[in-house]
Amino acid sequence: MIALPRNNMVYRLLTLLALLTNGSSDAFSNNLAANTNTNPPKPSSSTNLEVDPESPALPPYVPVAIIGGGLGGLAVCAALQRRGIKAHVFESSPELLRDSTGTGIMISTNGLTALECIDERLPGLMRENGCRIVRQHIRICDSSGDLTRDKISFNMTAEQINIGWSRAQEVLASCVDDSIHTVHCGARFQSYRESTDDNNDDGHGTVEIQFEDGQTVQTSLLIGADGAGSKLRRILAHENARNTAHTEKTAAQSYETRYNGQLLWNALIPTAAISPQFVHRPGEVEYITCGNDGQVVLAFDAGQDQTSWYLTLMEGDKASFLEETRAALEGLPGTGASFGGFGRVGVKKQLEQSFREWPLALACLEATPESQIFERRLSDKPPLMEWTPNANTSKRKRWGKQDDTPMSRVVLMGDAAHPMIPSQGQGTMMTWED
């Protein structure tokens, strides 16, 4: 474990999060309540956007504002509300709960522990709506589909719950109290501006959030849970550059997407649609390496009579990689399609050719409408050493104490702070640990 100096911004935020996740809620709630306005602050004169009259009205002030209503945003909202802190979620999509993303997640023991700290109801709800994995099978094949060694099968000793992403989102949403309308959909984040102490009547700093429709909301704490493509992270990076010796180029490099060369296709489908000859057993996982570097077949029970399957290839794999897919990936003129998202025309046929030696892959593809096949390039971003802005030199009251240590009221979490490729199944787990 890295020792962090006590005056480090990350240390202070981790301390606050530790208080939250370890159940020391009274002190945390009281400190936050002491540093938030109970009345809306005066509107800022810096707002130049024209408000769209058709947009749903947003509250002028919220104690905690969370950008993003995914698995991270809903989790932190539920955790704060559970501890008496009024948190609001601002989601860009018109509706919070959407159709299937085609993705399943694996909740391991550290994830279950984090969920219990967020809300003690959550582990049980995830178990009820997902499936406990009891056994895994691994097949190591050559490029012709023949086994190179005996199949490896083993029982799972540690608890692992597999569940569809959308179902997990529904579970988290059920633990968010929206009786006073704390989830705001169609709220597309634009930018933020952090104020200094002397701009507010109560002597505490606030953050003004601007949305694309021209509305503004002020908050005492802004949490960026807006995913791997986080807009808040980009703004934060350039703000840090202005407050330090870093250049704008360095700022841009801190959030640039880093592709690892692997392509992923996945879907979530009814288990009954897969040929019984090839389908996994209840509570089991099937994993096949295909002889070519980075080529994998994965299918597992996702609960609720659903199967989640994944296929991967390397971008540079000339043997199994079809020209149509490469043309779409490179966005070549005249291809009529670009790579990424749901239902690219022709993708099903291309995958059937690339995975023709593996019956499990073919059975999953046969059971899946092309419109439900999701594809993406796997990627992450450079690690961040700080998840908050480098505060300026002005003094601020830090949780009720006056000192010379700058304090920011903006923080990132989850994929906005540390996106990772999904192969280890830890992206969502780390988000909940945040």
Side-chain angles (χ1 to χ4, degrees), residues 176-195:
V176 171
D177 180 7
D178 196 32
S179 60
I180 56 172
H181 191 45
T182 56
V183 178
H184 310 277
C185 294
R188 300 181 65 85
F189 172 75
Q190 173 84 9
S191 62
Y192 75 86
R193 185 181 69 86
E194 197 167 359
S195 71

Side-chain angles (χ1 to χ4, degrees), residues 120-428:
E120 62 271 15
R121 299 171 294 176
L122 280 170
L125 289 171
M126 293 296 183
R127 293 182 181 107
E128 290 174 14
N129 288 272
C131 172
R132 177 164 184 171
I133 297 302
V134 297
R135 191 167 176 80
Q136 295 202 34
H137 306 281
I138 299 175
R139 293 176 173 85
I140 301 174
C141 301
D142 59 25
S143 58
S144 64
D146 295 328
L147 285 171
T148 60
R149 55 172 295 175
D150 292 339
K151 181 177 72 172
I152 304 169
S153 298
F154 56 93
N155 295 328
M156 293 289 292
T157 54
E159 185 177 13
Q160 176 179 303
I161 306 299
N162 287 8
I163 185 173
W165 190 100
S166 297
R167 187 56 61 99
Q169 187 196 27
E170 291 175 8
V171 169
L172 287 164
S174 72
C175 292
V176 171
D177 180 7
D178 196 32
S179 60
I180 56 172
H181 191 45
T182 56
V183 178
H184 310 277
C185 294
R188 300 181 65 85
F189 172 75
Q190 173 84 9
S191 62
Y192 75 86
R193 185 181 69 86
E194 197 167 359
S195 71
T196 54
D197 292 349
D198 52 8
N199 290 119
N200 298 279
D201 292 338
D202 70 348
H204 304 303
T206 60
V207 181
E208 180 185 81
I209 311 166
Q210 289 190 344
F211 294 90
E212 290 184 4
D213 63 2
Q215 296 190 74
T216 62
V217 174
Q218 295 201 26
T219 184
S220 295
L221 177 63
L222 173 60
I223 301 175
D226 49 341
S230 173
K231 190 171 186 178
L232 200 152
R233 173 172 173 158
R234 295 198 297 272
I235 296 171
L236 185 152
H238 290 282
E239 180 177 326
N240 281 348
R242 288 190 291 270
N243 291 333
T244 64
H246 295 159
T247 64
E248 293 297 311
K249 181 179 179 180
T250 301
Q253 290 173 341
S254 72
Y255 57 79
E256 67 181 2
T257 299
R258 306 186 304 186
Y259 297 105
N260 76 341
Q262 195 170 34
L263 306 175
L264 172 69
W265 294 265
N266 61 271
L268 189 67
I269 60 175
T271 302
I274 306 173
S275 172
Q277 182 181 355
F278 304 110
V279 72
H280 56 76
R281 295 191 180 104
E284 297 194 355
V285 174
E286 298 284 348
Y287 182 85
I288 303 172
T289 63
C290 303
N292 299 308
D293 183 36
Q295 187 173 6
V296 167
V297 179
L298 170 64
F300 58 78
D301 190 341
Q304 302 288 312
D305 300 320
Q306 301 247 292
T307 289
S308 183
W309 64 257
Y310 296 80
L311 305 176
T312 62
L313 289 170
M314 297 303 292
E315 294 185 25
D317 186 350
K318 300 294 192 298
S320 59
F321 201 62
L322 298 182
E323 290 302 319
E324 294 93 334
T325 304
R326 184 178 292 106
L329 181 66
E330 296 175 356
L332 297 180
T335 59
S338 59
F339 190 88
F342 279 103
R344 177 169 56 85
V345 175
V347 65
K348 185 172 180 176
K349 181 180 178 181
Q350 293 160 26
L351 290 173
E352 287 172 342
Q353 288 295 317
S354 294
F355 289 87
R356 59 187 177 275
E357 304 294 345
W358 290 276
L360 175 60
L362 294 178
C364 290
L365 287 167
E366 182 180 2
T368 308
E370 186 170 69
S371 61
Q372 294 181 19
I373 298 176
F374 186 81
E375 65 181 4
R376 56 178 162 149
R377 301 173 75 185
L378 295 186
S379 64
D380 62 7
K381 292 182 185 295
L384 287 179
M385 304 318 296
E386 293 185 340
W387 299 358
T388 66
N390 290 315
N392 56 35
T393 56
S394 64
K395 292 184 180 181
R396 300 196 180 176
K397 287 187 177 180
R398 179 165 61 92
W399 303 103
K401 296 180 180 180
Q402 183 76 42
D403 64 14
D404 294 327
T405 306
M407 178 68 180
S408 175
R409 292 177 178 269
V410 181
V411 65
L412 301 174
M413 67 169 291
D415 283 350
H418 45 73
M420 61 182 65
I421 58 174
S423 58
Q424 298 302 312
Q426 282 295 305
T428 303

